[in-house]
Amino acid sequence: MVTIKKDFIPASNDNRPGYAMTPAYITVHNTANTAKGADAKMHANYVKNPSTSESWHYTVDDSVIYQHLPIDENGWHAGDGTNGTGNRKSIGIEICENADGDFEKATANAQWLIRKLMKENNIPLKHVVPHKKWSGKECPRKLLDQWSSFINGISSFNTPPKESSPTYPLPSGVIKLTSPYRKGTNVLQLQKALAALHFYPDKGAKNNGIDGVYGPKTANAVKRFQLMNGLTADGIYGPKTKAKLKSKLK
Ligand SMILES: [Zn+2]
């Protein structure tokens, strides 16, 4: 779970207008601030400053989410005027692009947040929109040219990004049946990855045959995997088999 820290703009600020809102849309922005340290916390402080005129609901970086406004109140982030639908009916989310942050991670965290907000507020995916929709501004500038994959990422998001699933490092290079048999960590990694996809070197044997030795049974597991995945079934582990394993283990 990514932590959402509530750090609301003081009610006395001009940028907290306090109009009641029933959110019908989610508007996505990029901060357009690439400075080091321009993370969610920094934006939380910025938006609380009484001289700041704009406001939005959440800022997301690669490790945390700050909430600046309750979602039943509007903010000024869409650039479509005092009575604009963007400003008055949408939840504004800024995704950080600070140089010392991981933008992909921040984007994944935003996708997780959007999914949660969609569920909680009954907002359909087609109402998740770029800032550009409301005002024509080139925002979110880093996501506009990949908007459909950003949207696809929301709908296919089934687990929170911080919930770690086991990862399977895969060796590079070629591993094949040799005499004597190749042994070592590389082979072990490969066997574990294959086993995670139910291609065991020796199902039912001790530890399903996962022993770090590339013998005929492991070569056969590779061969079965290749056969089932449209690859040349030669029992030789190389770049193509690696790529396919990687895509299956996602
Ligand atoms: Zn924007």
Side-chain angles (χ1 to χ4, degrees):
M1 289 276 295
V2 189
T3 308
I4 301 177
K5 291 190 180 173
K6 284 192 168 74
D7 188 8
F8 289 165
I9 299 166
S12 55
N13 275 28
D14 286 345
N15 66 341
R16 184 166 172 183
Y19 290 114
M21 179 172 92
T22 304
Y25 290 86
I26 294 169
T27 303
V28 180
H29 305 263
N30 276 147
T31 58
N33 187 343
T34 56
K36 276 189 187 172
D39 56 9
K41 187 174 185 183
M42 193 286 276
H43 283 87
N45 290 329
Y46 167 77
V47 82
K48 284 192 295 182
N49 187 318
S51 63
T52 301
S53 55
E54 68 264 20
S55 53
W56 58 94
H57 297 85
Y58 297 92
T59 305
V60 182
D61 69 22
D62 58 7
S63 63
V64 70
I65 297 170
Y66 273 81
Q67 183 178 1
H68 319 298
L69 289 170
I71 55 165
D72 59 358
E73 281 184 32
N74 83 303
W76 299 135
H77 56 90
D80 62 348
T82 314
N83 295 310
T85 306
N87 274 332
R88 295 293 289 274
K89 293 270 173 206
S90 86
I91 299 170
I93 297 177
E94 290 277 357
I95 304 173
C96 291
E97 42 179 298
N98 46 310
D100 54 346
D102 178 340
F103 183 71
E104 274 186 29
K105 196 77 194 288
T107 302
N109 288 346
Q111 287 169 317
W112 171 81
L113 173 65
I114 291 167
R115 192 178 165 79
K116 175 177 153 70
L117 291 169
M118 282 170 61
K119 258 192 209 155
E120 290 169 358
N121 299 280
N122 223 355
I123 298 172
L125 190 60
K126 66 176 193 302
H127 281 197
V128 178
V129 299
H131 179 188
K132 188 174 184 175
K133 174 187 165 69
W134 306 117
S135 69
K137 186 180 173 184
E138 284 299 305
C139 179
R141 60 178 196 164
K142 293 190 72 167
L143 295 172
L144 282 176
D145 64 354
Q146 42 171 317
W147 187 252
S148 58
S149 50
F150 176 74
I151 290 293
N152 289 340
I154 296 166
S155 51
S156 64
F157 227 80
N158 291 315
T159 48
K162 285 283 174 89
E163 206 171 63
S164 63
S165 54
T167 54
Y168 297 94
L170 289 164
S172 354
V174 172
I175 304 176
K176 59 182 178 182
L177 203 54
T178 49
S179 179
Y181 301 149
R182 180 153 165 190
K183 289 181 193 178
T185 312
N186 282 356
V187 177
L188 198 62
Q189 286 177 340
L190 173 57
Q191 289 174 327
K192 283 181 179 171
L194 287 163
L197 297 167
H198 310 289
F199 292 90
Y200 304 99
D202 191 1
K203 194 166 167 36
K206 190 186 169 203
N207 204 22
N208 289 316
I210 299 168
D211 55 5
V213 180
Y214 204 88
K217 287 177 176 169
T218 299
N220 184 260
V222 170
K223 202 169 179 173
R224 282 181 279 125
F225 173 79
Q226 290 168 328
L227 195 64
M228 294 299 287
N229 287 282
L231 299 165
T232 307
D234 55 9
I236 299 171
Y237 170 86
K240 283 183 184 168
T241 304
K242 180 184 178 178
K244 187 59 90 173
L245 275 168
K246 206 173 168 185
S247 75
K248 292 278 168 183
L249 286 162
K250 257 187 195 165

